[in-house]
Amino acid sequence: MSLEVRDLRVTYGTGAAAVPAVRGVDLSLAAGQKLGVAGESGCGKSTLALALLRLLPASARLSGEILLDGEDVLTMKWGRLRAVRWAGASIVFQGAMHSLNAVRRIGDQVAEPLLVHGRATPAAARRRAGELLEHVGLPAARAAAYPHELSGGQRQRVMIAMALACDPKLIVADEPTTALDVMIQAQILRLIEGLVTEQSISLLMISHDLAVLADTCDRLAVMYAGRVVEEGPARQVFEAAAHPYGRALSSAFPRIGDPASRRAPRGLPGDPPDPAGLPGGCAFHPRCPVVVESCAERDQQLREAGPGHRAACVHVGSVS
């Protein structure tokens, strides 16, 4: 399933109190492709993920287009949208313990999408739930367990099994390894990558971890203050970012075997701006190490930074 996001804008509240969370995002994801979206907390990543299937609260106002195989999610009638969720596109939420129903057995929860979409009888749905659990590395017998009886990694596997239940063509994974230890994180990432490759599923993965996305995805988009400030081939964005924010995210990870990186790790001071009080011009300029006077005067649009690579920075093409 292909995904095309055109000038997506999301605000919370109304009138003078409206707060912009996503500000004119354009993204494209071809069928079978893996796209990563990176950025610090507060940059609009999760709002973007929820907007793709219209899962935002009633206080959110959306405009633009979200095209799944050419069909706009924002204009779908409720019945059509309900049919698309889980069956056409599904989502793996961050924080599995908060996403699973604590008083229902996990087998029933994995089977629920099959029953809602009329894909199986109750008996067949239970059998399929066991198969899906085994597919993600859990014994079928664990279908009788409650969420609190599973570890964090096991609960995340249950979420992935639920997302796969109706054979979707697109999976949105919003911080799928949050709060997991490094070993379990690696297992979950390998599982997701293997499943989407094996089944030719499109994947949009959201994370604050640029290194994880570079290893998992084909392309990478970097968000800051509700906008995409850089996008291009994943390894290129990670290793040779054209935007100073992308470079800051990349350099925050120490390079194994690099003494300079170990002794003087670099970071980025400050925090992303409050969406209710964005600075004028480029929103990144108060934190930017290469800021110039014009950065505070006008915002920057994405411009070519190489083959298939774009960045929204006045310095693109003039700095290494």
Side-chain angles (χ1 to χ4, degrees):
M1 174 175 281
S2 65
L3 169 68
E4 189 81 22
V5 178
R6 299 176 182 170
D7 194 28
L8 178 64
R9 298 175 184 272
V10 181
T11 60
Y12 293 103
T14 58
V19 176
V22 173
R23 306 182 298 131
V25 164
D26 295 290
L27 289 174
S28 62
L29 175 63
Q33 192 178 47
K34 293 172 287 187
L35 172 67
V37 179
E40 296 169 281
S41 296
C43 287
K45 306 184 304 299
S46 291
T47 292
L48 171 65
L50 296 173
L52 296 180
L53 290 174
R54 267 172 54 190
L55 294 171
L56 291 168
S59 61
R61 298 291 180 266
L62 289 78
S63 65
E65 295 180 305
I66 301 172
L67 305 176
L68 295 178
D69 281 345
E71 191 174 3
D72 192 355
V73 171
L74 299 186
T75 61
M76 286 180 183
K77 294 187 181 299
W78 170 245
R80 175 57 182 156
L81 179 62
R82 189 170 183 265
V84 167
R85 290 174 178 169
W86 294 109
S90 60
I91 186 166
V92 178
F93 297 100
Q94 59 176 303
M97 189 62 189
H98 304 293
S99 302
L100 294 170
N101 189 327
V103 298
R104 296 187 64 203
R105 299 181 190 275
I106 63 168
D108 294 335
Q109 298 187 60
V110 174
E112 184 175 14
L114 293 165
L115 298 173
V116 168
H117 287 275
R119 297 292 187 92
T121 64
R126 285 194 295 272
R127 289 195 299 272
R128 178 60 177 155
E131 294 170 358
L132 286 163
L133 291 176
E134 291 186 338
H135 198 44
V136 298
L138 289 175
R142 298 300 279 163
Y146 289 96
H148 72 272
E149 297 177 305
L150 304 179
S151 69
Q154 289 173 328
R155 288 194 293 267
Q156 202 63 54
R157 290 172 186 269
V158 173
M159 290 294 297
I160 296 169
M162 291 174 64
L164 293 171
C166 292
D167 299 317
K169 296 303 180 185
L170 167 67
I171 289 181
V172 178
D174 183 13
E175 300 275 11
T177 57
T178 295
L180 300 181
D181 64 62
V182 174
M183 294 299 293
I184 301 301
Q185 180 186 82
Q187 293 174 16
I188 295 298
L189 290 171
R190 284 198 299 270
L191 173 64
I192 292 174
E193 186 175 14
L195 290 172
V196 298
T197 300
E198 174 188 319
Q199 301 183 29
S200 299
I201 299 172
S202 304
L203 173 68
L204 190 146
M205 181 180 287
I206 291 173
S207 177
H208 63 277
D209 193 328
L210 211 64
V212 163
L213 295 177
D215 287 338
T216 307
C217 299
D218 306 313
R219 295 186 61 78
L220 182 59
V222 178
M223 285 188 70
Y224 187 80
R227 295 190 60 198
V228 173
V229 297
E230 183 164 7
E231 59 96 10
R235 295 307 309 181
Q236 186 174 345
V237 171
F238 180 60
E239 296 173 357
H243 194 283
Y245 182 59
R247 290 197 293 272
L249 290 181
S250 177
S251 64
F253 296 91
R255 304 305 201 264
I256 295 176
D258 179 5
S261 171
R262 177 168 54 84
R263 292 170 185 162
R266 291 181 290 171
L268 182 62
D271 298 296
D274 184 341
L278 293 171
C282 172
F284 185 60
H285 86 262
R287 305 173 72 193
C288 184
V290 292
V291 63
V292 296
E293 185 176 346
S294 62
C295 297
E297 298 171 354
R298 61 180 182 275
D299 207 349
Q300 300 297 319
Q301 303 301 313
L302 290 168
R303 62 185 74 180
E304 294 299 320
H309 187 183
R310 300 188 301 162
C313 180
V314 69
H315 294 293
V316 167
S318 64
V319 294
S320 59

